[in-house]
Amino acid sequence: MTDGGPLLELRGVSKVFGAVRALNGVDFTAYPGQVTALAGDNGAGKSVTIKTISGLWEPTEGQILWEGRPVHLRSPNDAEALGITTIYQDLALCDNLDIVQNMFLGHERMRHHLLDETTMELAARKTLSDLHVTTVRSIRQPVASLSGGQRQSVAVAKAVMQAAKLVIMDEPTAALGVAQTRMVLDLIRRLSHQGTAVILISHNLNDVFEVADRISILYLGQMVAEGPLADFDRQVVVDYMTTGESSRAAAG
Amino acid sequence: MTDTIDEPTASGEDPAGVELHPADESTPANALAPDELVVLVPDVLADSIGDYTRAWWKRIRSGESGALPIIIGLVVICIFFEVQSSAFLTATNIVNLFVQAAFIVLLGMAELYALILSEIDLSVGFVGAVGAAIAMALIEAPQNWPWWAGVIVGLAACAVIGAFQGTIITRLKIPSFVVTLAGLLGWQGVLIYVFDVDKGAVGGVITISNNVISDLVSGNMTPWAGWILLVVLVALFGITSVLKTTRRRAQGLSAPPLSITLLTVGAVAVAGVVLVYICNLNRGALTPVEGVPWVIPFLLVILVLQTVLLGRTKLGRYTYAIGASPEAARRAGINVSLVRTIAFALCSFTAGLAAIVYASRLGSISVGFDGGTYVLYAVAAAVIGGASLFGGHGKPIHPLLGGLVIATLTNGLALLNISTAGTDIATAVVLLVAVAVDSTLRRRGRSGAV
């Protein structure tokens, strides 16, 4: 699947907050149909990177290329218009709304100027079953009654529904139990098999090594290693994350 | 489908149905018990009356009690008053009760917009009164505008006031409590000013002579018109309910059993027949007075409009979303400030309707309008009826039921010659009991599950 060009490419992206240089000349690529893990210790710049990609912050320097063309992401709406969806740690679902309502929140289908619940429910059900999330008989329950993994599923399905080309998942398995984590990882794999580019931010190297195709490692605002995951082993990744270099690896 | 209700689903500890992993015995604490998943949605999971009843009962026990406790409470209160005073369940008094309730119900519906947003509007009483006073001043001498023109201007004034307050709340990020507390004081001042300016106001009172306005509450439909309206409404309700159920089933979507739909329509029809029958009894002493007061269909229209607005439009959907999680709404691309401002405008607009009903009932509106107390009754009506103070929940039916409870108490206690002091205390007790019952049921539901 690596034959095509990258879907998203950051070239020499820097972000400066006052005296703090949060990102320093970061290069980063994400390919369609692949899961790219973005690793790094706390404060390495993972959040700044994804906020730049999702249009929350404009880079101070550098270029963002989307499908090979330079783009300016000035707001989340710009990113969304391109097909970039970010699924945040706290998920951003409304507890009081049901699954269908959440999946269509902000993108409701209308009929005669009223909400077209039937069409939305059918479409939501199809998307969920395409992702093998088979809560079919209960997609009308409020999200408040769902488990963490199910909420992640709804958030992912929402991204798929909006025809996202790039899905950024911020710590999707934090706070999840074993079974729920498995469910979410399976979902990530299915999402990438459908041709979607996925950027996975995770502290959990087990998750990274289980689903990621590529890895990019940030250290103090700089990209210190990037490449196919097969070129890395756990110890090398840990070395890069903690010290910014690895004596053991030839990769990078 | 009995098994989905009483037994864990086939996929064991993983209700979302992704592949089952028998090795994972450790169901995480936040995983959903299949049982819990099922109790929340009887309407969409049951295929027969038996299933439906069982699922429904489970939902009640799990704390999603809906309107049932409040309806039971209302019946209990009615029985109590009927035992105490034979004057309670007379046609005159029952009609009177609805007429009394209309104002608080409408004001509660106004407050509902703010409550769903997880906000509060303390100014609804006086804002409504300002609008009604403007309308009446324009309609009555010396202005003598047509009634509809006066009403439009009055209601528009309310909407503008609401949009103004909403703008301050959203743009300057000042808590609605503070902004509308200022409104509570300020709009009372404006109300007094309207009476000062209006040359038709005598001693701080504008008396209503316009027939249309006074007939809104004091006028009745002819008995026949009442029956015809009932038949039309029940037929409409029945046809749309059945069509909706059958259409959903045809699409392969879950829907309540047809028998449940028919039972609901039947219950509504019976309630309507009883109401219209009572209203059509002669309740006049010397000259015959009979027929459904116009204010009842008026309330129904507002109820339907608000239900459609909140339940079937983007604006309504976004209002609920913002009430539960403004951040989620913002990330979904919703213009949160705009929706909140519109909701506050709708809140004030509905308050204007309430105050016009108030003026119609009294035949006048006076500078002594007690907007400070009425707003508290409005909040009480919505909360007693089942709306949440914490936002994201509440339907137009809630202030309707809650307003009826308050009106019933006021009415019944007055029949028993109990002082205002006693009425206030009784209302307070009912408010506390209603909220306590509701939150106890909910808490039991939370801890009982998982």
Side-chain angles (χ1 to χ4, degrees):
Chain A
M1 287 258 237
T2 43
D3 51 336
L7 180 69
L8 173 89
E9 194 175 353
L10 304 192
R11 279 190 195 156
V13 166
S14 298
K15 178 70 191 173
V16 179
F17 296 100
V20 181
R21 206 167 179 86
L23 289 184
N24 194 0
V26 166
D27 296 329
F28 175 76
T29 46
Y31 294 89
Q34 294 206 6
V35 179
T36 308
L38 185 57
D41 205 355
N42 290 338
K46 303 191 299 286
S47 295
V48 184
T49 308
I50 60 166
K51 281 180 176 164
T52 306
I53 299 170
S54 57
L56 283 167
W57 290 334
E58 275 194 83
T60 317
E61 295 159 18
Q63 227 183 2
I64 301 177
L65 283 87
W66 179 258
E67 291 170 337
R69 286 188 307 277
V71 287
H72 292 281
L73 304 174
R74 293 189 184 84
S75 75
N77 289 343
D78 288 352
E80 200 189 296
L82 291 177
I84 299 174
T85 299
T86 312
I87 301 172
Y88 290 96
Q89 234 160 333
D90 47 9
L91 289 174
L93 296 179
C94 289
D95 276 348
N96 58 337
L97 301 184
D98 66 33
I99 294 174
V100 180
Q101 292 170 344
N102 263 296
M103 283 174 65
F104 278 95
L105 190 61
H107 303 85
E108 285 82 0
R109 307 254 174 99
M110 308 299 282
R111 186 161 164 261
H112 305 315
H113 301 288
L114 294 177
L115 298 172
D116 188 354
E117 298 289 349
T118 310
T119 307
M120 288 195 277
E121 189 166 338
L122 287 169
R125 193 169 68 173
K126 180 165 186 314
T127 307
L128 286 169
S129 69
D130 285 351
L131 289 167
H132 298 252
V133 180
T134 48
T135 35
V136 178
R137 284 187 71 80
S138 49
I139 57 177
R140 280 294 177 187
Q141 64 183 325
V143 164
S145 65
L146 299 182
S147 68
Q150 289 172 319
R151 293 168 65 99
Q152 284 285 359
S153 311
V154 173
V156 170
K158 181 177 178 176
V160 172
M161 180 84 69
Q162 289 156 21
K165 292 179 181 170
L166 172 65
V167 174
I168 304 168
M169 300 188 77
D170 187 4
E171 295 284 0
T173 59
L176 292 189
V178 177
Q180 304 284 336
T181 298
R182 167 131 318 278
M183 187 171 120
V184 171
L185 293 181
D186 286 343
L187 200 59
I188 293 174
R189 203 173 289 131
R190 252 178 243 120
L191 194 60
S192 71
H193 286 173
Q194 289 184 358
T196 312
V198 180
I199 298 177
L200 171 70
I201 289 109
S202 183
H203 270 106
N204 188 334
L205 288 185
N206 291 333
D207 295 355
V208 169
F209 275 89
E210 184 153 353
V211 294
D213 302 298
R214 297 175 56 82
I215 187 165
S216 297
I217 304 169
L218 280 164
Y219 178 74
L220 300 180
Q222 287 184 312
M223 194 63 78
V224 290
E226 188 176 15
L229 192 69
D231 298 348
F232 292 77
D233 67 26
R234 264 161 223 256
Q235 195 51 52
V236 172
V237 172
V238 170
D239 284 349
Y240 276 120
M241 282 169 69
T242 50
T243 64
E245 54 193 17
S246 176
S247 51
R248 271 168 281 227
Chain B
M1 286 303 131
T2 320
D3 54 340
T4 44
I5 285 165
D6 287 325
E7 290 159 22
T9 54
S11 58
E13 98 283 353
D14 191 356
V18 179
E19 304 101 294
L20 182 61
H21 296 272
D24 294 331
E25 282 303 314
S26 57
T27 305
N30 59 355
L32 187 71
D35 223 26
E36 182 193 356
L37 188 143
V38 167
V39 294
L40 289 159
V41 278
D43 320 27
V44 295
L45 283 164
D47 286 331
S48 73
I49 292 191
D51 280 355
Y52 190 89
T53 319
R54 242 169 295 152
W56 174 77
W57 175 241
K58 237 176 186 175
R59 182 159 74 160
I60 300 255
R61 283 197 326 198
S62 75
E64 291 296 311
S65 42
L68 189 73
I70 191 68
I71 291 176
I72 292 175
L74 198 53
V75 170
V76 168
I77 293 171
C78 287
I79 292 172
F80 172 78
F81 282 132
E82 176 58 14
V83 171
Q84 296 291 318
S85 160
S86 57
F88 183 71
L89 284 186
T90 58
T92 315
N93 195 51
I94 290 174
V95 173
N96 201 7
L97 199 155
F98 277 103
V99 167
Q100 287 171 347
F103 168 59
I104 289 300
V105 166
L106 276 169
L107 208 58
M109 287 176 174
E111 191 65 49
L112 184 66
Y113 290 107
L115 293 181
I116 292 174
L117 280 177
S118 193
E119 307 275 356
I120 196 151
D121 189 338
L122 295 174
S123 69
V124 283
F126 283 118
V127 170
V130 166
I134 291 174
M136 298 314 145
L138 292 174
I139 294 167
E140 298 301 328
Q143 308 295 334
N144 290 318
W145 285 28
W147 67 269
W148 50 267
V151 167
I152 288 175
V153 172
L155 293 178
C158 289
V160 169
I161 291 172
F164 171 66
Q165 295 189 146
T167 307
I168 296 179
I169 292 164
T170 53
R171 303 291 166 183
L172 301 183
K173 299 192 168 43
I174 301 174
S176 57
F177 186 93
V178 177
V179 173
T180 59
L181 182 63
L184 175 74
L185 302 168
W187 301 118
Q188 184 175 21
V190 173
L191 180 66
I192 297 170
Y193 183 72
V194 171
F195 283 90
D196 285 347
V197 171
D198 179 35
K199 295 191 171 56
V202 180
V205 178
I206 301 173
T207 309
I208 295 166
S209 59
N210 182 288
N211 283 334
V212 176
I213 298 293
S214 68
D215 276 355
L216 173 60
V217 176
S218 312
N220 300 312
M221 310 171 79
T222 62
W224 273 113
W227 286 119
I228 292 169
L229 182 68
L230 176 71
V231 170
V232 170
L233 288 180
V234 169
L236 269 179
F237 177 61
I239 290 169
T240 48
S241 305
V242 172
L243 273 184
K244 188 181 163 202
T245 307
T246 47
R247 199 180 298 143
R248 282 182 62 87
R249 285 217 180 276
Q251 299 263 23
L253 295 172
S254 47
L258 193 62
S259 45
I260 290 287
T261 310
L262 292 177
L263 267 179
T264 313
V265 174
V268 168
V270 168
V273 166
V274 170
L275 181 66
V276 173
Y277 175 76
I278 290 173
C279 290
N280 282 349
L281 289 173
N282 181 13
R283 47 185 194 274
L286 300 169
T287 51
V289 177
E290 55 188 13
V292 179
W294 282 104
V295 72
I296 291 181
F298 178 75
L299 255 187
L300 270 182
V301 168
I302 305 297
L303 180 78
V304 169
L305 285 180
Q306 197 183 20
T307 305
V308 170
L309 182 75
L310 287 173
R312 297 294 307 277
T313 68
K314 284 188 180 184
L315 181 69
R317 178 68 40 84
Y318 296 168
T319 309
Y320 285 105
I322 292 168
S325 172
E327 184 55 24
R330 193 183 65 80
R331 286 180 185 177
I334 295 167
N335 186 339
V336 174
S337 298
L338 181 67
V339 172
R340 288 172 76 201
T341 305
I342 294 176
F344 275 105
L346 283 169
C347 172
S348 296
F349 178 86
T350 315
L353 290 174
I356 289 173
V357 165
Y358 170 92
S360 169
R361 181 163 77 88
L362 295 186
S364 66
I365 186 158
S366 95
V367 78
F369 182 88
D370 192 4
T373 306
Y374 295 141
V375 66
L376 301 182
Y377 275 103
V379 175
V383 172
I384 289 175
S388 165
L389 273 174
F390 302 106
H393 293 278
K395 290 181 179 152
I397 193 80
H398 293 145
L400 176 69
L401 292 171
L404 280 177
V405 168
I406 292 178
T408 308
L409 276 178
T410 314
N411 176 296
L413 292 170
L415 283 182
L416 300 182
N417 286 321
I418 287 171
S419 64
T420 318
T423 311
D424 285 349
I425 293 169
T427 311
V429 170
V430 168
L431 174 65
L432 277 180
V433 169
V435 177
V437 167
D438 187 51
S439 64
T440 310
L441 281 175
R442 276 178 207 285
R443 206 173 320 119
R444 209 182 65 184
R446 294 271 151 72
S447 56
V450 184

